Amino acid sequence: MARVIAEREDVIPMLAEVFRTYGFEGASLARITEQTKLGKGSIYHFFPGGKEEMAEAVLAHVDAWFKQHVFEPLNESADAAAGIEAMFDEVGRYFQSGRRVCLVGVFALGNERDRFSDQVRDYFSAWIDALAAALVRTGRKPEDAMALAEEVVGGIQGALVLARAFDRTSVFTDTLHRLRGRLSVSQN
Amino acid sequence: MARVIAEREDVIPMLAEVFRTYGFEGASLARITEQTKLGKGSIYHFFPGGKEEMAEAVLAHVDAWFKQHVFEPLNESADAAAGIEAMFDEVGRYFQSGRRVCLVGVFALGNERDRFSDQVRDYFSAWIDALAAALVRTGRKPEDAMALAEEVVGGIQGALVLARAFDRTSVFTDTLHRLRGRLSVSQN
DNA sequence: GTCTATAAAGCGATAGAC
DNA sequence: GTCTATCGCTTTATAGAC
């Protein structure tokens, strides 16, 4: 029997999947050990602080992913419109066309928000601010850009709810398509 | 000490608050008895089926409320536009300007969805269908009405996520205002 | 780094007195 | 209808062997 030695970094995505699916309280050690194929001893070796530390690590991991793949391209792309297009592509892939929910969105709706309020707020702030800044660089007025960015990020979160409710990915992909169009056309 | 005799109907709104806040798994009997000020004996007297039956009752209660205050006005109001206006008013009040989250939305995102998939799907279906029908009566084409209705209901769900994340009701009220405007103006 | 054994607390649910 | 006591199970977390 080939025993695989795990590293902390390898465990975090699996933890993320459990927290995403069951929330903080629902992410029991039983579910975690099942998903990671690791004993409690290993889990607590990586995360001595228990579930709290696991959730912190998962939130940091999600934040780092979005920073690298979404926020920074939005902020730094020479072509702002291209950065926005890339955002929709990455987001569609990340959420698996609506099959995967947003961990931070789940935490925001639940009582997890009180425990992780900073991480939840900062994630959505960074996203909306980066998108608004890119929209300004495409020629939008700052107030309009901010409102549009909130509409897009909120629209994505809502589409995830509906896609789950109907178990139909088209609700999510259609929404991405609609929002994408709204940002590229009418400069009202 | 004045003991108050409770009725099942009185308990359901309190249960709803607990399920809304903590989800199905997080709604422990301890939290439920604290919220309702009732012992476990009383709770199980009203709901012999346990938490499952409690959640069913809560979902039915939410559905009945929306039927009465939102779906039927949308479907039956002689003036379709007035029914839509009433929807925004009622929804803004019901969600307490974004301070209260949507129980069905929480269930949709969590693993509760698998257990209560019918109720979750039917709630959003009824809402979207009623809104789309009202939009058709204001002169929209059926396909456009359906897409708009999904955009509005999804937008509301997403706004609840953002309002919670930022702990700022204006995100929700501004979104309601924007969506309201979108339905009454441009007939594109 | 991995595992098993174990502790203490919390869980949903039931029984039975009042 | 309400309560307390109790059961059996699961929970998070720790200890210690390997």
Side-chain angles (χ1 to χ4, degrees):
Chain A
M1 161 134 177
R3 182 154 83 176
V4 180
I5 303 296
E7 291 190 30
R8 200 184 125 110
E9 279 302 303
D10 305 327
V11 180
I12 294 177
M14 299 189 250
L15 289 179
E17 206 53 35
V18 180
F19 281 111
R20 225 191 300 277
T21 307
Y22 300 104
F24 182 78
E25 299 204 22
S28 68
L29 268 300
R31 282 168 173 159
I32 288 170
T33 54
E34 183 189 21
Q35 176 85 24
T36 59
K37 309 284 182 195
L38 254 44
K40 295 184 202 178
S42 300
I43 296 289
Y44 274 90
H45 171 74
F46 290 130
F47 306 95
K51 281 177 66 175
E52 184 97 15
E53 189 177 342
M54 297 181 215
E56 302 267 8
V58 163
L59 283 166
H61 184 260
V62 168
D63 198 61
W65 192 95
F66 272 82
K67 265 205 179 72
Q68 183 184 345
H69 292 88
V70 178
F71 308 158
E72 285 179 2
L74 277 174
N75 282 322
E76 292 163 15
S77 175
D79 181 354
I84 293 171
E85 293 292 306
M87 177 194 85
F88 283 109
D89 291 339
E90 292 283 5
V91 164
R93 236 191 327 265
Y94 182 84
F95 291 118
Q96 299 174 4
S97 303
R99 278 179 293 268
R100 172 195 268 182
V101 301
C102 177
L103 170 81
V104 192
V106 170
F107 274 28
L109 282 187
N111 78 318
E112 293 93 338
R113 194 222 21 187
D114 300 330
R115 209 193 275 245
F116 304 104
S117 56
D118 290 359
Q119 293 94 323
V120 169
R121 182 175 19 79
D122 292 351
Y123 167 84
F124 286 114
S125 278
W127 191 351
I128 289 170
D129 290 349
L131 177 55
L135 285 169
V136 167
R137 293 199 288 131
T138 68
R140 304 267 182 181
K141 283 183 291 187
E143 319 90 76
D144 297 347
M146 200 64 190
L148 261 177
E150 279 188 10
E151 176 181 345
V152 167
V153 175
I156 289 170
Q157 294 296 314
L160 289 173
V161 173
L162 294 186
R164 286 271 302 175
F166 293 134
D167 204 9
R168 184 157 39 86
T169 56
S170 63
V171 183
F172 183 72
T173 53
D174 290 354
T175 298
L176 283 190
H177 188 257
R178 170 175 57 77
L179 293 171
R180 195 194 286 254
R182 178 150 313 145
L183 295 192
S184 55
V185 272
S186 73
Q187 299 263 351
N188 56 336
Chain B
M1 158 124 179
R3 182 154 80 175
V4 180
I5 303 295
E7 291 190 31
R8 199 183 127 111
E9 279 302 303
D10 305 327
V11 180
I12 293 177
M14 297 188 252
L15 289 179
E17 207 52 36
V18 181
F19 281 112
R20 225 191 299 277
T21 307
Y22 300 104
F24 182 78
E25 299 204 23
S28 68
L29 268 299
R31 282 168 173 159
I32 287 170
T33 55
E34 183 188 22
Q35 176 86 23
T36 59
K37 309 284 181 195
L38 254 44
K40 294 185 201 180
S42 299
I43 297 289
Y44 274 88
H45 172 74
F46 292 130
F47 307 94
K51 281 178 65 176
E52 185 99 14
E53 188 177 343
M54 297 181 215
E56 303 266 8
V58 163
L59 283 166
H61 183 260
V62 168
D63 198 61
W65 192 95
F66 272 82
K67 263 204 181 71
Q68 182 183 346
H69 292 88
V70 179
F71 309 159
E72 284 179 2
L74 277 174
N75 282 321
E76 293 164 14
S77 175
D79 180 355
I84 293 171
E85 293 290 307
M87 177 193 85
F88 283 110
D89 291 338
E90 292 283 4
V91 164
R93 235 190 328 264
Y94 182 84
F95 292 118
Q96 298 173 5
S97 303
R99 278 179 293 268
R100 173 195 267 183
V101 301
C102 177
L103 170 80
V104 192
V106 170
F107 275 28
L109 282 187
N111 80 317
E112 293 93 338
R113 196 228 12 195
D114 300 331
R115 209 193 275 245
F116 303 104
S117 56
D118 290 359
Q119 294 94 323
V120 169
R121 181 177 17 79
D122 291 351
Y123 168 84
F124 285 113
S125 278
W127 191 350
I128 289 170
D129 289 349
L131 178 55
L135 286 169
V136 167
R137 292 200 288 133
T138 68
R140 305 267 181 181
K141 284 183 292 188
E143 319 89 76
D144 297 347
M146 200 64 189
L148 260 178
E150 280 188 9
E151 176 181 346
V152 167
V153 175
I156 289 170
Q157 294 296 315
L160 289 173
V161 174
L162 294 185
R164 285 272 301 175
F166 293 134
D167 204 9
R168 184 156 40 85
T169 56
S170 63
V171 183
F172 183 72
T173 54
D174 290 354
T175 298
L176 282 190
H177 188 259
R178 169 175 57 78
L179 294 171
R180 195 195 286 253
R182 179 151 313 146
L183 295 192
S184 54
V185 271
S186 72
Q187 299 262 351
N188 55 337

